[in-house]
């Protein structure tokens, strides 16, 4: 009888960023994780919450900062390519990325805020709550927000502190999240999570 020891990390997959971009729509609905192509599931409620939050951020950001929505924008991490639901970057970074299109690959040091919108119990929840916390901290993204949208909207802000994220108190409906965004507090935004489900 042969007993195999479980490895601490799964074997890396055979796929690269070229394989990701060779997928239909340049792999918009996929991430690259440890050499594996992982489908990113999004639904109508998820998309609505992400769009509403992006609008709040965009209004607060003004002209110096750009709010990028959707899976077309990529962040390079030590484990592969991530596609946050929202990324906030300086406008000059977006101009450079658009000239280089495709792909729209951003370095973590260029990102001021990354946001992932999740529903508890989905397949990507653990990735967003555990893996991406480590990965986004490793590339120096100063803030990472995890946004639940079921049954109510709740925002879990994480702030980079000494190379790891420090969890701020979560903010739910009826409360206001006020935060300074950016490496040098470029702008301030205030959001009531309940407003993210309004039509």
């Amino acid at each position: 009888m042969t007993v195999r020891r479980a490895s601490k990390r799964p074997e890396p997959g055979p796929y690269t960023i070229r394989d990701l971009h060779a997928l239909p729509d340049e792999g918009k609905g996929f991430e690259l994780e440890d050499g594996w192509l992982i489908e990113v599931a999004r639904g109508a409620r998820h998309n609505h919450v992400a769009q509403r939050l992006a609008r709040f951020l965009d209004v607060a950001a003004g002209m110096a900062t750009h709010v990028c929505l959707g899976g077309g924008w990529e962040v390079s991490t030590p484990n592969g390519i991530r596609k946050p639901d929202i990324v906030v970057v300086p406008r000059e970074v977006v101009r450079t990325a658009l000239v280089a299109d495709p792909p729209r690959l951003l370095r973590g040091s260029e990102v001021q805020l990354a946001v992932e919108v999740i529903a508890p119990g989905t397949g990507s929840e653990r990735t967003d709550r555990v893996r991406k916390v480590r990965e986004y901290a490793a590339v120096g993204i100063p803030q990472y927000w995890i946004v639940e949208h079921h049954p109510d909207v709740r925002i879990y802000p994480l702030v980079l502190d000494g190379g790891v994220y420090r969890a701020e108190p979560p903010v739910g409906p009826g409360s206001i999240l006020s935060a300074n965004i950016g490496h040098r507090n470029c702008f301030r935004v205030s959001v009531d999570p309940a407003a993210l489900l309004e039509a």
Side-chain angles (χ1 to χ4, degrees):
M1 181 169 134
T2 304
V3 177
R4 294 180 63 191
R5 290 186 185 183
S7 60
K8 292 184 180 178
R9 296 185 60 154
E11 290 294 316
Y15 301 103
T16 68
I17 191 170
R18 286 184 181 175
D19 298 308
L20 175 66
H21 293 149
L23 292 171
D25 204 14
E26 296 177 357
K28 187 174 182 181
F30 290 82
E31 292 182 332
L32 183 65
E33 179 182 291
D34 298 328
W36 296 102
L37 297 168
I38 308 296
E39 187 168 9
V40 180
R42 295 180 171 102
R45 186 177 171 111
H46 168 284
N47 292 343
H48 180 79
V49 169
Q51 288 169 353
R52 293 278 296 163
L53 180 55
R55 279 190 220 128
F56 275 98
L57 289 164
D58 200 35
V59 168
M63 294 304 295
T65 305
H66 189 77
V67 178
C68 308
L69 176 67
W73 294 89
E74 304 172 344
V75 176
S76 178
T77 76
N79 297 91
I81 303 297
R82 295 302 188 182
K83 297 183 180 180
D85 294 309
I86 301 171
V87 287
V88 176
V89 294
R91 194 161 294 276
E92 65 271 9
V93 171
V94 170
R95 284 191 192 109
T96 302
L98 289 174
V99 168
D101 181 50
R104 295 181 178 130
L105 185 61
L106 304 169
R107 293 191 311 271
S109 59
E110 298 170 327
V111 177
Q112 298 172 339
L113 167 68
V115 179
E116 297 287 0
V117 178
I118 64 168
T122 60
S124 63
E125 180 183 11
R126 186 175 192 286
T127 297
D128 292 341
R129 291 191 189 276
V130 179
R131 287 193 60 129
K132 289 184 183 179
V133 170
R134 292 193 302 261
E135 290 179 31
Y136 291 165
V139 296
I141 298 175
Q143 289 190 56
Y144 173 36
W145 293 0
I146 299 170
V147 181
E148 291 179 356
H149 64 83
H150 188 77
D152 297 310
V153 179
R154 188 169 302 278
I155 303 173
Y156 296 82
L158 304 171
V159 178
L160 197 61
D161 184 3
V164 296
Y165 283 121
R166 171 178 37 86
E168 297 285 311
V171 180
S175 298
I176 303 293
L177 170 63
S178 292
N180 293 322
I181 306 298
H183 296 286
R184 295 180 189 88
N185 297 329
C186 295
F187 68 94
R188 186 166 183 81
V189 65
S190 295
V191 181
D192 177 355
L196 302 182
L197 282 179
E198 293 175 358

